[in-house]
Amino acid sequence: MRIGEVGLYDYLRSKGMPGLKENVEHFTLKKGSEVYSAPQRYTNLYEIVSGAVKLGRLSAKGKECIYEILTPGEIFGNLAVLNDMPFDEFSKTLTGTEIRSYNIHFFKEQLVDPAVTNWFYPKIVSRWYKTETILFYIRSFEPRKRIQQVYLDLRKKIFTAHNREIYLDKLISYSDIADLTATTRQLVAETLKEMSDSYTPHVGF
């Protein structure tokens, strides 16, 4: 049984893993709910079953600044691999979202299984790649071009917790795109308005 085909939880269940029910929680959150807030020293490992989550930090003035959008199948949380390093991240749902929460100590124990390791590390590398892509856009493209590129990257379908199909970009605000592209909300609005001649944008407010 391959984890990529059935998911981590069903894989562990098929193995009869002791303590699975006690260490894994499945819950649904409404749009705008915090999975965890900053600062929080330790978290569980979270897996998105359906819906979407944004990750970010708070500025010195308390303003949210996001740097990543996560979709079904992706994992997040503080793995505590840097020990005493602060963890100042917050996570918030963009729509109704189903999440599985794995006790971090229980999850780390599963990494002795090569199948779990081979599933887990590509997940981490994939997120690194997404971050590097955003940085590449910022360094390589002028502001309007990077807004267009990020918007197109976000223009994909996902399912919400209520099994409703929706375009991801419809869940993202102009401010969110401005954060992701190191631009301004006003420039995002102007750029997407210019793009509307070729297709109808789904960005929310």
Side-chain angles (χ1 to χ4, degrees), residues 47-177:
E47 177 186 17
I48 301 176
V49 179
S50 61
V53 170
K54 63 180 178 180
L55 305 180
R57 292 190 179 188
L58 298 178
S59 70
K61 296 182 178 180
K63 179 184 179 296
E64 290 186 358
C65 179
I66 72 162
Y67 47 69
E68 192 170 4
I69 304 294
L70 303 180
T71 55
E74 294 192 280
I75 56 177
F76 62 104
N78 184 13
L79 298 179
V81 295
L82 299 179
N83 296 323
D84 295 329
M85 292 292 290
F87 185 71
D88 296 324
E89 182 175 88
F90 72 83
S91 56
K92 186 176 292 187
T93 58
L94 288 166
T95 185
T97 301
E98 291 179 84
I99 290 176
R100 284 198 186 97
S101 172
Y102 296 82
N103 176 278
I104 191 63
H105 302 295
F106 172 80
F107 176 78
K108 286 183 176 181
E109 291 173 356
Q110 310 314 311
L111 292 176
V112 299
D113 182 341
V116 177
T117 302
N118 291 336
W119 169 85
F120 174 66
Y121 286 115
K123 295 281 187 182
I124 298 300
V125 173
S126 176
R127 286 191 53 197
W128 287 345
Y129 176 77
K130 282 172 50 180
T131 300
E132 290 171 350
T133 299
I134 290 291
L135 292 175
F136 171 77
Y137 290 164
I138 292 173
R139 292 289 295 172
S140 303
F141 299 144
E142 55 87 20
R144 291 182 185 274
K145 175 63 176 177
R146 75 180 76 136
I147 291 169
Q148 294 169 357
Q149 192 61 54
V150 167
Y151 173 74
L152 293 175
D153 288 350
L154 293 171
R155 193 171 162 76
K156 60 182 181 181
K157 291 180 180 179
I158 64 167
F159 282 93
T160 71
H162 307 294
N163 203 36
R164 183 167 66 98
E165 190 177 58
I166 191 171
Y167 277 99
L168 178 61
D169 56 281
K170 189 174 182 181
L171 305 175
I172 311 299
S173 70
Y174 291 159
S175 294
D176 290 339
I177 294 180

